[in-house]
Amino acid sequence: MRAHSLSSRRGLPVSFRRDSLLSRLTSVLLAWAMIMSSMPAYSTDQPRAEWVHSWDFDAISKPVTAPAPHRAAPAVASRPLTGVRALLPRLAGNSTISSLHVPNFPGKQGIDPFVGLFGGGLFAMPLQAQDSALQVAVGFADNSSASANFPEPWNESNPLINFVGGGTVYRAGAIRLDNPGSWAVSVDSVKVDLGRPGPVFQLWQNVVVPAGGSAILTQTQNGNFNTSASPIAGCGLPLAADEARIPKITITVAGTSTDYADSTHVLDTGGFDSSCRGNQSLEWRPVGMAGMESAAGSIQLISDGAPHAVGTQDTVTVEVNDAGNQPLANAPVKLNVLNGPNAGKSFTGVTDSTGVAVIQYSSTAQGNDLIQAVVNNVSGGALPSQQATTTWSSAAACAAPANPSAAAARLIYVGQNSVSFGATMRLAALLTDGTGNPLSGRSVSFTFAGHTSPATTDGNGTAMVLASTLPVGPSTVAISFAGDASYQATQLSASVTVLPAATLLRYTGSNLVTALGQQQVSAVLTNSLGTAPVVERTLTFTLNGISASGVTDINGSATATLNFATALNTGDGQLQINFAGDANYRPSSRTAPVQIY
């Protein structure tokens, strides 16, 4: 038996004999793992334990050095520890972990040394994802009327956006957490303190920020995150130079809290309740970068301008920046064909991490497409780009060009394709000869809405008229050049559209409302810019199920009287104001906070 045992031992590889160095080392490390698994975990705000240096097998021959002073590590997302990993202490968020030395076993090295000896790995390295820290942006959302400034992206269906909010009527601060890393980050909680007497908002817990995406935090129900409703200045007045009441955002990840100061007062809209100036929306911007003076972002359409054969693809690039002039990721973009052989068609895209969306489309017909990119938002508003032209040419082989006839005049429509009701549309056409040279001083006629308006081409060959009588909806404009002794007659038809105008409601009544009896309320209805009254339209006021209506006068103001036959409950209330819209004006609504007494 003894001889058999000895021969069996002799048959083993030397490195696996019980008395070998590797066998002894393995036993020591397993014992170390069992002991350390019984010790308490080390939190992110503790210095690295000295025993961690025992991982440095090469350090045996190195001089001993004092450990570096401890520095708090940034909050990071942790990956759950499983299997053998769970037996070892967890060094959550320790920024020095990347400097630890690990045994130089075969297999995967570096951040995950488990795949080494024995395939599965006996050596469990404490592991914490070390991706980039979260980035924070702020804005303000108000969908009471259409606004190009409403924050986008918002709650579109996008796996890279985790929208944490609720309600249907937005008048709320907005926070966007961006995660540029490759691991999802779990946020314990987010708190907003306006830094003044008033509410502290703690509405969001256990929020996941997708890898390479964003979490958007706003009201969880109507009215519970109205950060502009605690003003420290009068309407539109500047803040004092020494004003110290600054909104603060506190984000807690893995038990570590980080504060972000909204030093440009975006969440509290400049320190005053900006509903006094109309729609309060403010597009996203990095926290602390830009204030109310930068309300909207920007969008740029980039086209090569070259002709494309019918049946091929034209590629256009759309660049979108936020209100801080930073690239805006995950924003939905639409490319609209306003005029030409593909008029009425739309194509969509989403911006990448650099704020760029690449959109392709093709044509089955020749001609010139007038294109424009736009970012639409939840409020019904839109942020449009400049317009560009795509030329579609024949897919056939190019025939040898005949000598062009200079006498063959040509008209090209270069005016506006759409405006809102109440605005004046610019109708314009370019007149050239057969070789493309502009013709100046020629009479061109524009026929629309039942009458004809003449115009004369300028030095660039462009003739223009202003149209204010077009009805809402699509219309056809006929443009003609009668010809003269030198140039032949030519004509052109263009399609233009007048859209219903966006409107804005502003409450002008008292914020104190009686609980019993009659209460007079009033509001003003204007265009979306607040510059022109909308007259002879009915506004409806509703509070706790009691409604009354009034018609706007020449100033756009309407007054109504609510009659409470049964006493209301005292305290906070929400007065709903509504304009139903009509053929010429889009509907709008507003919620005014009132105190019932």
Side-chain angles (χ1 to χ4, degrees):
M1 181 67 72
R2 183 173 181 271
H4 175 75
S5 175
L6 287 173
S7 82
S8 298
R9 290 177 58 193
R10 290 192 187 100
L12 286 172
V14 173
S15 60
F16 285 90
R17 292 178 182 174
R18 186 169 56 187
D19 56 350
S20 69
L21 175 61
L22 181 57
S23 177
R24 292 176 181 178
L25 184 58
T26 301
S27 299
V28 171
L29 287 175
L30 286 173
W32 175 85
M34 293 176 64
I35 294 171
M36 290 305 159
S37 66
S38 64
M39 298 177 65
Y42 288 78
S43 64
T44 57
D45 58 352
Q46 293 174 315
R48 183 177 64 170
E50 292 183 6
W51 57 263
V52 171
H53 292 286
S54 65
W55 279 99
D56 193 347
F57 282 75
D58 297 328
I60 297 173
S61 60
K62 297 178 184 176
V64 177
T65 57
H70 171 63
R71 291 180 297 174
V76 292
S78 60
R79 287 187 285 180
L81 303 180
T82 59
V84 178
R85 303 168 192 249
L87 297 176
L88 297 178
R90 177 173 176 236
L91 301 180
N94 195 321
S95 61
T96 62
I97 196 169
S98 60
S99 66
L100 301 182
H101 296 271
V102 299
N104 190 25
F105 295 118
K108 183 180 178 183
Q109 303 298 319
I111 63 170
D112 194 351
F114 289 89
V115 184
L117 187 61
F118 303 128
L122 294 176
F123 305 96
M125 186 71 170
L127 196 58
Q128 182 80 0
Q130 292 292 317
D131 286 351
S132 303
L134 293 177
Q135 299 167 357
V136 181
V138 290
F140 197 93
D142 181 355
N143 69 343
S144 61
S145 60
S147 172
N149 307 335
F150 192 95
E152 274 293 330
W154 194 243
N155 62 343
E156 293 83 10
S157 178
N158 185 337
L160 293 178
I161 298 293
N162 180 15
F163 181 78
V164 186
T168 56
V169 179
Y170 292 109
R171 183 172 294 174
I175 302 168
R176 195 184 77 232
L177 308 180
D178 296 328
N179 176 15
S182 55
W183 294 94
V185 173
S186 180
V187 177
D188 300 343
S189 64
V190 177
K191 180 176 73 173
V192 175
D193 185 346
L194 296 182
R196 66 204 66 170
V200 174
F201 304 93
Q202 301 183 77
L203 305 175
W204 315 275
Q205 291 83 34
N206 301 320
V207 175
V208 175
V209 188
S214 305
I216 293 174
L217 315 179
T218 185
Q219 66 179 33
T220 54
Q221 62 185 36
N222 289 344
N224 71 346
F225 190 46
N226 189 352
T227 49
S228 74
S230 299
I232 51 179
C235 181
L237 297 180
L239 296 174
D242 58 350
E243 179 57 68
R245 292 171 287 182
I246 298 174
K248 180 178 68 175
I249 305 168
T250 301
I251 300 174
T252 302
V253 178
T256 299
S257 297
T258 305
D259 293 337
Y260 298 85
D262 179 21
S263 56
T264 54
H265 291 273
V266 175
L267 290 178
D268 60 350
T269 61
F272 62 95
D273 189 345
S274 61
S275 62
C276 63
R277 303 198 328 193
N279 192 289
Q280 301 184 78
S281 292
L282 297 172
E283 175 61 281
W284 297 117
R285 79 282 316 282
V287 64
M289 177 171 284
M292 288 190 67
E293 73 283 356
S294 299
S298 61
I299 179 172
Q300 181 77 12
L301 175 63
I302 302 172
S303 177
D304 57 16
H308 297 269
V310 169
T312 64
Q313 297 280 340
D314 178 26
T315 301
V316 298
T317 300
V318 183
E319 295 181 353
V320 183
N321 287 335
D322 63 20
N325 201 32
Q326 301 299 304
L328 186 60
N330 297 312
V333 176
K334 180 177 286 188
L335 179 69
N336 295 322
V337 182
L338 306 178
N339 194 20
N342 297 288
K345 293 183 179 180
S346 296
F347 308 89
T348 60
V350 178
T351 58
D352 60 16
S353 60
T354 65
V356 171
V358 177
I359 301 175
Q360 292 184 322
Y361 85 103
S362 62
S363 177
T364 59
Q366 298 182 56
N368 296 324
D369 279 341
L370 186 67
I371 59 175
Q372 184 178 45
V374 64
V375 174
N376 297 312
N377 61 55
V378 174
S379 76
L383 181 66
S385 73
Q386 84 284 10
Q387 297 177 356
T389 300
T390 295
T391 300
W392 300 102
S393 60
S394 171
C398 295
N403 291 329
S405 171
R410 182 186 179 194
L411 280 168
I412 303 172
Y413 184 72
V414 293
Q416 289 179 286
N417 292 91
S418 64
V419 295
S420 295
F421 175 77
T424 299
M425 179 176 288
R426 181 177 62 87
L427 306 175
L430 171 65
L431 179 65
T432 69
D433 64 17
T435 61
N437 296 312
L439 299 178
S440 62
R442 265 68 177 186
S443 179
V444 175
S445 296
F446 295 78
T447 301
F448 55 92
H451 70 274
T452 299
S453 296
T456 302
T457 58
D458 59 18
N460 297 315
T462 301
M464 183 187 70
V465 298
L466 300 178
S468 58
T469 58
L470 288 170
V472 170
S475 297
T476 298
V477 179
I479 310 169
S480 62
F481 167 58
D484 55 25
S486 301
Y487 299 100
Q488 300 172 3
T490 185
Q491 53 276 330
L492 169 72
S493 292
S495 177
V496 297
T497 303
V498 176
L499 303 171
T503 54
L504 173 67
L505 276 169
R506 181 165 54 91
Y507 182 57
T508 56
S510 173
N511 291 103
L512 291 176
V513 175
T514 180
L516 183 64
Q518 293 185 338
Q519 175 69 47
Q520 190 176 77
V521 290
S522 61
V524 172
L525 180 67
T526 64
N527 62 2
S528 60
L529 299 177
T531 56
V534 177
V535 304
E536 296 183 356
R537 263 67 180 184
T538 299
L539 306 186
T540 302
F541 303 82
T542 303
L543 178 62
N544 284 28
I546 305 300
S547 298
S549 299
V551 178
T552 56
D553 58 19
I554 59 173
N555 299 312
S557 178
T559 301
T561 301
L562 294 170
N563 188 14
F564 305 116
T566 303
L568 305 178
N569 293 327
T570 59
D572 294 336
Q574 299 288 328
L575 175 65
Q576 303 291 329
I577 313 166
N578 183 67
F579 167 56
D582 55 27
N584 295 330
Y585 290 99
R586 293 174 56 182
S588 59
S589 62
R590 178 170 289 277
T591 301
V594 296
Q595 189 72 22
I596 303 171
Y597 69 97

